[in-house]
Amino acid sequence: MKSKKIRRRLDEAVGADHVVRVVRRTERESRYSGFVLRVGAKWVLMAPLADGGAFDGLIAIRLREVHSVRRDTTFAARAARLRPEWPPSSLVPAGIDLDTTAGVLRTIAAEGELIGIQTDQRLDALWIGLLHEVTRRWVYLHEVRPDASWRDVPLGYRLGRIDTVETGGQYLRGLRTVAGRGPSA
């Protein structure tokens, strides 16, 4: 799908009551179904849905990473309208910046909330942690491991390689509950 058509479909989906299915270029077996909340210069913000139409946090996907956008015709949109979080526009963080990667990282999560990032280097990995610092070219996370233990020092990732940023989902909330406050708290 061409980038102009992708952009048009995403723009049309903002504020609509239908669910879209987004497929990433580098990981075509991964599909994200949800509501498109906002589209910026470089990123799209979605409210992804878990099975059964429950909202599952937020995900920002780099626009250049979007391979295709299609309407999802399952019952998920109807189920989501029955959720207490409806409408999904209420989930958008105030002041979200979707024009730069640094902006997405700084504004997607509330203070003390875990974020997960994926890069184009390792498609099978999701690095999760508390935002420590964002510089001109790097983001540093106080990482929490899958066993809910914290790494001792922040680790850095190149901003230009980050393809997705997520927060607030069930997995991240559960991990945060078990991991506790973390090294920066």
Side-chain angles (χ1 to χ4, degrees):
M1 189 176 278
K2 296 193 181 224
S3 59
K4 284 184 180 182
K5 188 174 185 178
I6 288 169
R7 178 67 187 228
R8 183 177 46 81
R9 285 189 178 181
L10 291 170
D11 284 337
E12 289 171 353
V14 173
D17 67 351
H18 65 269
V19 174
V20 298
R21 184 171 298 227
V22 172
V23 177
R24 292 177 53 198
R25 285 188 196 286
T26 56
E27 196 178 19
R28 293 194 184 165
E29 63 276 359
S30 287
R31 289 169 171 75
Y32 301 94
S33 291
F35 293 93
V36 178
L37 301 175
R38 299 255 171 91
V39 182
K42 293 188 178 184
W43 292 82
V44 57
L45 181 67
M46 293 179 62
L49 297 177
D51 292 340
F55 290 99
D56 195 22
L58 297 171
I59 188 165
I61 304 169
R62 192 185 289 267
L63 288 172
R64 73 174 186 217
E65 177 64 12
V66 177
H67 173 70
S68 66
V69 178
R70 303 218 187 300
R71 195 167 178 157
D72 186 326
T73 58
T74 66
F75 74 94
R78 291 181 301 192
R81 283 193 289 275
L82 302 173
R83 306 282 308 170
E85 303 92 348
W86 186 262
S89 58
S90 66
L91 304 173
V92 178
I96 185 79
D97 178 357
L98 299 172
D99 295 335
T100 66
T101 303
V104 168
L105 290 162
R106 287 184 183 121
T107 61
I108 194 168
E111 182 72 28
E113 194 171 347
L114 291 177
I115 62 170
I117 61 172
Q118 285 184 299
T119 71
D120 60 6
Q121 290 177 315
R122 293 237 359 240
L123 304 178
D124 61 340
L126 177 68
W127 289 279
I128 299 171
L130 295 172
L131 185 64
H132 175 69
E133 181 181 14
V134 180
T135 67
R136 205 177 109 175
R137 295 201 171 138
W138 294 84
V139 59
Y140 295 89
L141 298 178
H142 275 294
E143 286 189 18
V144 61
R145 296 178 189 97
D147 68 356
S149 64
W150 293 94
R151 292 194 182 275
D152 294 331
V153 295
L155 296 178
Y157 301 92
R158 291 185 68 85
L159 292 179
R161 296 209 174 253
I162 297 172
D163 290 332
T164 64
V165 180
E166 59 184 88
T167 191
Q170 293 178 39
Y171 180 81
L172 296 181
R173 288 192 319 266
L175 184 61
R176 178 68 166 158
T177 300
V178 174
R181 293 178 53 191
S184 66

